[in-house]
Amino acid sequence: VIISQDDRRFFAADEEYRRAFAQWPHERIRVKDARTMYDGYSRGYGQSSGEIVVFSHDDIQFAVSDFAARLAMALSGADLVGIAGTTKLCASGLLQSGHPNLFGTVTHYSPTTKTYEFSALSLRGPHIDGAQALDGVFIAARRNWIERVGFDLHGYTGFHFYDIDFSYRCYLAGARIRIAADLGLIHFSRGPISEEWRAAQRTFSKKFGMPIDAPATNSHWYSIPIFDRDGLKDLYAKLEATWENISLGIF
């Protein structure tokens, strides 16, 4: 399910998903005129039929060729999967949770430097269980959990905090939430801190009784420039080898 008013962005993302899931039964759904993100996701979900429903931004690519297989592996034993998130939501926002609670990887493309900026919230991987909230650039959820938790169609009037609200309510209801750091997602925009974002943050804070900012949190991340998608693919291969060696006790 992709919410998109921009034809160019949507068709590029749709083609990315078509290629990624070419060998897997799937359906691709667009909502073009969503009033809010929750409105769009609710309507897109209503058109879907699969056991797993993916909610995705419209400006993404994948740096790995086996994205669908990686997602299937990540969903084994999990109810929700995202590429980044927190294992302890202690304030109204993912980054406000601070370390050591932040995990996941994402790459942003910089049109200024024409480089891919690979960012890691931590170097743990490939899977981190026990997450409490996920970033909304990509969330895969089992259908029964979407039906159980639903969408807050009235609390959020824009396009922010729907992701934290949905995933956190799933966590409170007992869902198994996993951060998959190996999905190789490339995001072509960064979420701005606007007045609309802050208004949604206040809504979330009031709804769950959480502070706007947690005291004394450290929310840094690690970032390096990569010059092409082949370089990104090689980087993920090195990360996977490292994660495998760690799991085997080889350092």
Side-chain angles (χ1 to χ4, degrees):
V1 175
I2 297 178
I3 314 304
S4 180
Q5 298 178 346
D6 187 307
D7 287 345
R8 180 187 60 80
R9 284 169 48 151
F10 168 74
F11 289 125
D14 185 63
E15 176 62 16
E16 199 77 5
Y17 277 106
R18 186 198 66 77
R19 287 197 301 264
F21 287 91
Q23 305 302 317
W24 300 68
H26 71 285
E27 54 195 356
R28 305 189 306 279
I29 297 167
R30 178 188 189 182
V31 178
K32 190 173 183 178
D33 58 346
R35 295 180 297 274
T36 69
M37 193 64 89
Y38 261 152
D39 168 63
Y41 279 173
S42 176
R43 290 160 57 192
Y45 168 74
Q47 299 175 49
S48 70
S49 59
E51 177 194 351
I52 305 297
V53 182
V54 167
F55 300 102
S56 170
H57 283 198
D58 67 350
D59 57 345
I60 58 90
Q61 290 181 357
F62 306 122
V64 294
S65 59
D66 57 345
F67 174 83
R70 291 170 185 247
L71 178 59
M73 184 67 70
L75 280 162
S76 177
D79 301 310
L80 269 73
V81 168
I83 65 159
T86 179
T87 54
K88 186 178 181 181
L89 190 66
C90 53
S92 300
L94 291 179
L95 289 179
Q96 284 84 342
S97 297
H99 289 291
N101 309 310
L102 298 171
F103 300 95
T105 67
V106 66
T107 298
H108 290 97
Y109 180 74
S110 171
T112 302
T113 62
K114 299 188 184 306
T115 58
Y116 295 89
E117 297 175 359
F118 171 83
S119 298
L121 289 166
S122 86
L123 297 180
R124 275 186 55 190
H127 300 152
I128 299 91
D129 290 323
Q132 295 185 1
L134 299 172
D135 182 86
V137 64
F138 176 93
I139 293 177
R142 295 191 180 276
R143 190 171 201 88
N144 61 316
W145 278 96
I146 301 171
E147 293 173 350
R148 180 172 176 178
V149 172
F151 304 103
D152 185 350
L153 296 176
H154 306 291
Y156 298 89
T157 59
F159 294 84
H160 305 287
F161 271 81
Y162 62 93
D163 48 356
I164 303 176
D165 178 87
F166 174 72
S167 54
Y168 187 58
R169 287 188 294 114
C170 286
Y171 158 73
L172 292 177
R176 300 165 300 171
I177 304 179
R178 174 173 287 168
I179 299 165
D182 63 339
L183 293 182
L185 190 138
I186 304 169
H187 193 198
F188 282 82
S189 63
R190 299 177 185 270
I193 305 299
S194 61
E195 180 50 42
E196 290 80 8
W197 187 93
R198 295 193 183 280
Q201 183 186 41
R202 291 190 292 270
T203 297
F204 182 89
S205 176
K206 182 177 180 181
K207 180 176 180 178
F208 293 101
M210 285 196 178
I212 294 293
D213 293 298
T217 58
N218 188 339
S219 59
H220 67 274
W221 61 86
Y222 310 92
S223 182
I224 58 172
I226 305 292
F227 296 99
D228 53 38
R229 288 178 62 167
D230 286 339
L232 275 174
K233 186 176 180 179
D234 291 343
L235 177 59
Y236 273 102
K238 292 176 182 178
L239 280 173
E240 288 152 20
T242 300
W243 292 330
E244 177 66 17
N245 286 339
I246 291 173
S247 71
L248 295 174
I250 304 171
F251 299 94

